[in-house]
Amino acid sequence: MATLSRIAVIGTGGTISSLGAGSLDVLDYPDFGQKLTSEALLDRFPETRLVADPRPHTFRQVGSTAIGPADWLELRALIHRIAADEPDTVGFVIPHGTATLEETAFFLNLTLGIKQAVVLVGAQRPASALGTDAGTNLVNALQVAGCAEARGKGVLVVLNNEIHPARDVVKTSTYRVQTFRSLDFGALGHVDGDGPHFYRAPLKAHAPDTLFASRNLASLPRVDVIYSYAGADGDLVQAAVKAGARGLVSAGFAPGTPSPAQQEAFIAAAKAGVVVVQCSRAFTGRIAPRRRLRETGFVAGEDFSPQKARILLMLMLTETGDIGRIQQAFQTY
């Protein structure tokens, strides 16, 4: 009988670990239910031990709206520590709430310095619900983390029998199980009854081969996202600068333009030394480094969502404030 892969399962909470008031509670459980430890989650789905040798570690027991940059730094340190202390660990699975899953995944995709596969997994229905996707998603994530093909592809996200790259994937629906999509480029592969199957690989730089993988990251600078809408003024831009933001991400109209009043405020912020990255509020598409952005000293956000552009900018600001180098990073990662 084949030896099962040893996988560290680092629980953070979220819907995948949640228990509601009953099997039909798919709405109120985040506020009134309970969240399982990593060990209890594995016990609830014993099929997980048929596909891997999972080793539970409980990191958080919260909804992912409560997870932010300080937690990312701690989680990164924990992964590095487990990889060093338990060298027979083949991969990592991180059960996580879906609200900020893509952000945690992308941060790790830029900062981890390990060779093992790292897979984030969530669910759209709590573990106690009728028709929950928690068990299947968890089993699939363990299968992916344990397979040789997952290595070298950066941090991965597995839900709904699909394998996505952390760089591209976004949550697109509040309740549907097919919520996670890599909209422009598609999934990397699928997990079927006979295991994971990959059909493409990410080409952009990712862990462990990044500028940040070997860095000692103790804290991250403040970067705010400012959303554009018809008639928006510059007050929120000014408030973010006053609050100490070192960087701003403009979630502008497609293909990457804020309102005129916001534009004035962003230009003033850039002249004051705040780095401004221009993105779009549209779900897909690229912000090219066109003339207007170059002349105003803004960074073109490429095809990053505003929330992921924020993460890359935060990390780059720990290295430099040079616009040219930051623009190059947006084209590299």
Side-chain angles (χ1 to χ4, degrees), residues 48-188:
T48 54
R49 295 189 170 91
L50 299 178
V51 299
D53 175 18
R55 303 299 176 94
H57 303 262
T58 298
F59 175 69
R60 296 284 189 272
Q61 286 176 260
V62 298
S64 67
T65 56
I67 292 178
D71 304 285
W72 299 340
L73 293 167
E74 283 189 51
L75 180 58
R76 174 188 187 241
L78 175 60
I79 293 170
H80 283 168
R81 187 162 62 249
I82 293 171
D85 294 345
E86 304 174 18
D88 56 344
T89 298
V90 172
F92 292 81
V93 166
I94 304 172
H96 196 289
T98 58
T100 60
L101 186 150
E102 67 200 73
E103 291 168 77
T104 299
F106 186 55
F107 172 81
L108 296 175
N109 190 60
L110 292 175
T111 63
L112 286 178
I114 62 171
K115 297 291 186 181
Q116 292 95 326
V118 176
V119 177
L120 274 79
V121 61
Q124 288 290 85
R125 299 168 183 159
S128 56
L130 178 69
T132 181
D133 53 333
T136 295
N137 288 350
L138 188 56
V139 167
N140 286 173
L142 289 164
Q143 290 174 296
V144 172
C147 80
E149 279 190 282
R151 290 196 174 199
K153 293 182 173 64
V155 173
L156 303 173
V157 172
V158 172
L159 285 94
N160 198 39
N161 305 123
E162 295 179 339
I163 309 166
H164 291 273
R167 182 193 185 277
D168 301 334
V169 73
V170 292
K171 185 176 181 180
T172 64
S173 174
T174 52
Y175 293 129
R176 305 290 77 81
V177 295
Q178 69 273 24
T179 182
F180 281 94
R181 288 279 186 258
S182 298
L183 292 169
D184 277 336
F185 309 116
L188 299 180

